Amino acid sequence: MLTRRKVIVCAGPGGVGKTTTSAALALRAARLGRKTLVMTVDPARRLATSMGIGTALDEETRLENASVYAGAPVARGELWALMLDTKRTFDRLIERHSPNPEIRERILKHPFYGQLSTALAGSQEYMAMEKLYELWSRKSYDLLVIDTPPTEHALDFLDAPRRMEDFFDSQALKLILRSTRTMGKLGASLFRVNALILKGVGRFVGAEVFLAILDFLEAMTALSAGFAERSRRVAELLRSDEVGFVVVSSPENSSVKEARALLDRLRAERMSIDAFLLNRVRPVYFGAVGTAEEVESVVLDRFHQEEALRIFPQDLVQVTAKELAQAVTRYGNLAHHDVRVVRELASAFGNALPLVAVPYFGRDLHDIDALREFEQRLARAAAHEQAPT
Ligand SMILES: Nc1ncnc2c1ncn2[C@@H]1O[C@H](COP(=O)(O)OP(=O)(O)OP(=O)(O)O)[C@@H](O)[C@H]1O
Ligand SMILES: [Mg+2]
């Protein structure tokens, strides 16, 4: 995947490691000799800083950190990082699609525009896809690794372009605009419109605000053909064999459920899925874990062997053994849950989809060395996946 694809999209539920995975995959591709750009959305501040993009919105930055390239199998790779600036991407989109400078200015200078471009539901997802298309068209990288924004629902980024299109296409919007037009030029018939609105929405938002919104929407509809065409092309790109998806999930039941729904959706949309990455899998350290009582007696035995009782008071040893036993049992149950999830997914996927399990590291992964470690675990897990023993 890392040597063949031109675009890799990391998608999945919130908080499972999409950003970390994107960075680690890009790092590996760069070490395999490809000029790679990772586009992240909202990375953890410390990760962004260690990648050299702490404050640089919308700037493609080359990582010079020596440990990125040290001992790389192929020397000529490059790792670049970019933090998406949704506002600036939106500005460029408006500039590109405006039929004339007058409409462009009317939109960009409109007081609602500032709010819309940052706050419109789904605008982040839409902008991520827009930026992907822009970078892909430029063809200055061998590989683009795309991190998707944290969303309530993993499917949001797929639906964002369509939502934008639907909005411009909606009957409600057309109706509103048509009725205001038949009432004459907005300014001229302000009085009549005012009277109408005061009876309805005016009570909530005020007639002037409402008219300003209408004015803005009318200017925006001039762009709708461009938007629609663009989202068709993005969808086409996502379906092409240049693009592969990596679905990331944690072993939490709710995450797995959401990630599998995303898989089904991607398949239905005829998009290529290269791997299912199960991240933060808690390793089993203790073999079969018994009940808290059984573990407690093992711990107590151990304390007796070590003659802990000669040094520490009896009740302290007993309390410690109890607490330790509870912690071990609780962890053991979680680790066994994760093992079950790995088994279930492996049997559900069979040979149809590579399942790559990456362990929980017990600490956050916010610097290049931690990313290297993640990248190596990823590579090892993937090699194991290909040649299961
Ligand atoms: N295998 C791992 N072991 C331990 N910590 C991890 C692991 N993978 C990721 N993390 C940590 O988990 C946190 C969330 O990871 P990340 O930001 O990559 O998730 P995300 O899916 O991008 O989240 P969001 O949906 O909010 O964008 C980070 O602090 C990261 O360092
Ligand atoms: Mg993220």
Side-chain angles (χ1 to χ4, degrees), residues 18-19 41-42 147-148 150:
K18 297 179 296 293
T19 302
V41 191
D42 257 351
D147 174 26
T148 50

Side-chain angles (χ1 to χ4, degrees), residues 58 84-98 103-105 107-110 112-118 123 126-127 130-131 134 164 216 220 223 227:
D58 217 42
L84 184 70
D85 182 342
T86 46
K87 170 103 175 66
R88 225 189 283 180
T89 306
F90 209 0
D91 290 352
R92 270 202 298 273
L93 191 73
I94 301 288
E95 281 159 22
R96 192 171 325 112
H97 294 308
S98 297
I103 288 188
R104 184 187 64 209
E105 290 307 298
I107 293 173
L108 290 178
K109 297 227 168 78
H110 204 286
F112 286 108
Y113 173 71
Q115 286 165 33
L116 179 93
S117 58
T118 45
S123 77
Y126 184 82
M127 292 312 125
E130 176 62 30
K131 187 75 192 183
E134 185 189 317
M164 191 77 96
F216 175 67
M220 286 288 281
L223 273 58
F227 271 52

Side-chain angles (χ1 to χ4, degrees), residues 71-382:
V74 185
R76 62 186 148 72
E78 289 175 27
L79 180 57
W80 293 71
L82 167 70
M83 205 157 39
L84 184 70
D85 182 342
T86 46
K87 170 103 175 66
R88 225 189 283 180
T89 306
F90 209 0
D91 290 352
R92 270 202 298 273
L93 191 73
I94 301 288
E95 281 159 22
R96 192 171 325 112
H97 294 308
S98 297
N100 59 54
E102 192 223 330
I103 288 188
R104 184 187 64 209
E105 290 307 298
R106 201 166 135 213
I107 293 173
L108 290 178
K109 297 227 168 78
H110 204 286
F112 286 108
Y113 173 71
Q115 286 165 33
L116 179 93
S117 58
T118 45
L120 186 71
S123 77
Q124 238 191 356
E125 291 86 347
Y126 184 82
M127 292 312 125
M129 291 301 115
E130 176 62 30
K131 187 75 192 183
L132 160 64
Y133 195 81
E134 185 189 317
L135 288 164
W136 175 81
S137 309
R138 211 188 332 132
K139 306 218 179 296
S140 44
Y141 297 95
D142 301 329
L143 173 68
L144 303 168
V145 182
I146 308 298
D147 174 26
T148 50
T151 49
E152 283 290 308
H153 206 272
L155 305 175
D156 281 0
F157 80 94
L158 272 181
D159 295 325
R162 207 164 302 155
R163 268 210 307 268
M164 191 77 96
E165 213 176 313
D166 287 350
F167 170 72
F168 283 116
D169 225 27
S170 69
Q171 285 310 314
L173 180 63
K174 283 188 182 141
L175 203 69
I176 291 173
L177 292 175
R178 208 180 310 139
S179 52
T180 53
R181 259 182 237 127
T182 52
M183 281 186 252
K185 286 285 290 170
L186 280 180
S189 61
L190 198 67
F191 183 78
R192 273 166 58 206
V193 178
N194 237 335
L196 262 178
I197 290 167
L198 279 175
K199 276 200 261 164
V201 279
R203 259 174 295 168
F204 304 106
V205 291
E208 261 161 56
V209 175
F210 187 70
L211 286 176
I213 296 175
L214 285 183
D215 176 46
F216 175 67
L217 289 177
E218 190 172 31
M220 286 288 281
T221 47
L223 273 58
S224 70
F227 271 52
E229 172 59 21
R230 188 71 160 185
S231 63
R232 250 190 306 282
R233 283 205 213 153
V234 171
E236 203 177 293
L237 169 64
L238 292 179
R239 268 187 208 107
S240 79
D241 63 2
E242 293 187 14
V243 181
F245 283 83
V246 173
V247 174
V248 186
S249 178
S250 77
E252 255 43 83
N253 289 337
S254 55
S255 283
V256 171
K257 194 164 164 239
E258 211 175 305
R260 294 191 71 170
L262 176 62
L263 271 186
D264 292 342
R265 177 71 194 282
L266 288 170
R267 285 196 183 114
E269 301 267 350
R270 289 177 288 116
M271 293 173 186
S272 317
I273 305 142
D274 284 336
F276 189 101
L277 194 140
L278 198 66
N279 187 29
R280 306 172 68 110
V281 176
R282 285 158 292 211
V284 176
Y285 291 122
F286 308 104
V289 176
T291 64
E293 290 73 32
E294 284 162 356
V295 177
E296 188 180 334
S297 86
V298 172
V299 175
L300 267 179
D301 274 358
R302 186 76 190 173
F303 278 164
H304 283 291
Q305 277 169 29
E306 300 292 337
E307 296 189 50
L309 288 171
R310 278 205 358 229
I311 309 165
F312 301 110
Q314 166 90 20
D315 50 351
L316 178 66
V317 169
Q318 234 141 21
V319 168
T320 309
K322 200 181 187 70
E323 285 175 359
L324 206 54
Q326 280 168 353
V328 167
T329 314
R330 226 174 289 142
Y331 177 85
N333 289 337
L334 294 172
H336 281 285
H337 167 267
D338 293 1
V339 170
R340 270 198 306 278
V341 171
V342 173
R343 284 207 193 109
E344 276 163 23
L345 287 175
S347 81
F349 297 159
N351 291 326
L353 177 66
L355 172 69
V356 178
V358 176
Y360 178 64
F361 282 81
R363 64 186 164 87
D364 279 342
L365 309 163
H366 286 159
D367 54 49
I368 300 292
D369 291 328
L371 279 186
R372 281 291 321 269
E373 207 176 317
F374 190 94
E375 170 240 330
Q376 276 158 17
R377 295 304 289 258
L378 206 60
R380 237 179 292 155

